[in-house]
Every structure is written in structure tokens, then in C-alpha cells.
Amino acid sequence: MTGQRADARRNYARILAVAEQEVAAHGADASLERIARIAGVGSATVRRHFPGRRALLEAVFGERIAALGARAAELAEAADARAALLEWLSALTTYAASARGLADALLQDGLTGLEQVEDCSAKLATAVEPLVRRAVAAGALAADVTAADLLTLVTGIALATEHHPDPVAEARRLLDLVVAGVSPAR
């Protein structure tokens, strides 16, 4: 984004903000034309910044995944390892439940494999791994529970609640049930 005119940077930010809302509401098939209209720009402007749906969706999901990584880093030294892990899992669950169609989005526009999904999963697993290790060391998490296990559980919860009237609330409720199983409060 550096080197662009101020109006181009504003357009990019506005398009990305609208795209995030539209993808949350309509999933991976959110209309690029509608995104342009709501952002107050032409569809050519959207395509200049994001040459295809995949590029736009990667930008939408990439920023949120980076934010989750940053949050995990902030929580890595928290005094209560269990609370830190649960706070991060709650944030991930909220994101996953509100980011309708994440897996489908990353597979669109001719993507031939799962490398983008695996990249997102790898970033999230790397981010949460220190929290998992600390929770295991503190006896707050079963020793055989892995970061990949927790990501799989959250993904399953998100998929199961995607069409629920209130997917975030239902996802949080289901996460609470999972937590009771893998890390009962003492």
C-alpha cells in the first residue's frame, strides 16, 4: 500500500472493511459488485486493488488471522495459562463463526489444492502452540491435546453453526461444552 495516493489507500481500506462485513453476512459468494456499491467505488476500482475474488477474500481473512496471531502473542505470558488459552479459543471461535465460507472462499477462483487453507491453519497453529504448551504444563489441558486438535474442534463448531440463527452465540455455547471436556475447571 505504500507509494499509493491517499485516495487509493482510503479506497483500499473502505473496500476491505465493506468486504469483511459482506463476507460475514453472505459468505464466500458475497457480490463484488455489491461490495463496490456499498464502498462507494466502481467495480473497476475493486478489481484494481483485488484482481479476483480470491485476492479480496485472502485480504479479508488474512488480516483477521494476523490479528488472532498477535492476540496469541499478547496472551503467551499471561499469568493464568488456562484463561489465556480459553480467551484465544473464544476469539478464534467468534471469528470462525462469523467468517462464513472461509474454507470455500480460499478454494475459489481456480485454487487447485488446499494450500491456502493449510497456510491459514499453519499460522493459527503456530500462534496458539505456546498457549497450548503452557496450558499443558500448568495441568490445565490434557497432555495429548494438540493445537491442531483445538483448531479442528473450532472448525467443526463453525461449520456446524454456520446456518444457525445466531451462529456466534451457538458456537460459543458449543465451545463451552468442548472446553468442559478437554480442560475442566478446577
Side-chain angles (χ1 to χ4, degrees), residues 91-166:
L92 175 62
T93 301
T94 298
Y95 159 67
S98 66
R100 291 186 50 214
L102 172 60
D104 290 338
L106 296 173
L107 295 174
Q108 284 187 6
D109 288 343
L111 202 64
T112 58
L114 295 174
E115 52 277 339
Q116 293 299 323
V117 172
E118 290 169 357
D119 185 48
C120 290
S121 295
K123 287 178 182 176
L124 291 170
T126 298
V128 74
E129 186 59 39
L131 299 176
V132 170
R133 280 195 311 270
R134 286 190 66 233
V136 168
L141 186 64
D144 61 343
V145 175
T146 66
D149 293 336
L150 297 175
L151 295 177
T152 299
L153 289 169
V154 170
T155 300
I157 289 169
L159 290 171
T161 59
E162 187 171 88
H163 298 291
H164 191 276
D166 187 350

Side-chain angles (χ1 to χ4, degrees), residues 24 26 35 59 64 66 74 87 141 144 156 166 169 175 185:
H26 304 289
I35 291 169
R64 293 181 79 182
E74 291 169 6
E87 182 178 327
L141 186 64
D144 61 343
D166 187 350
L175 178 64

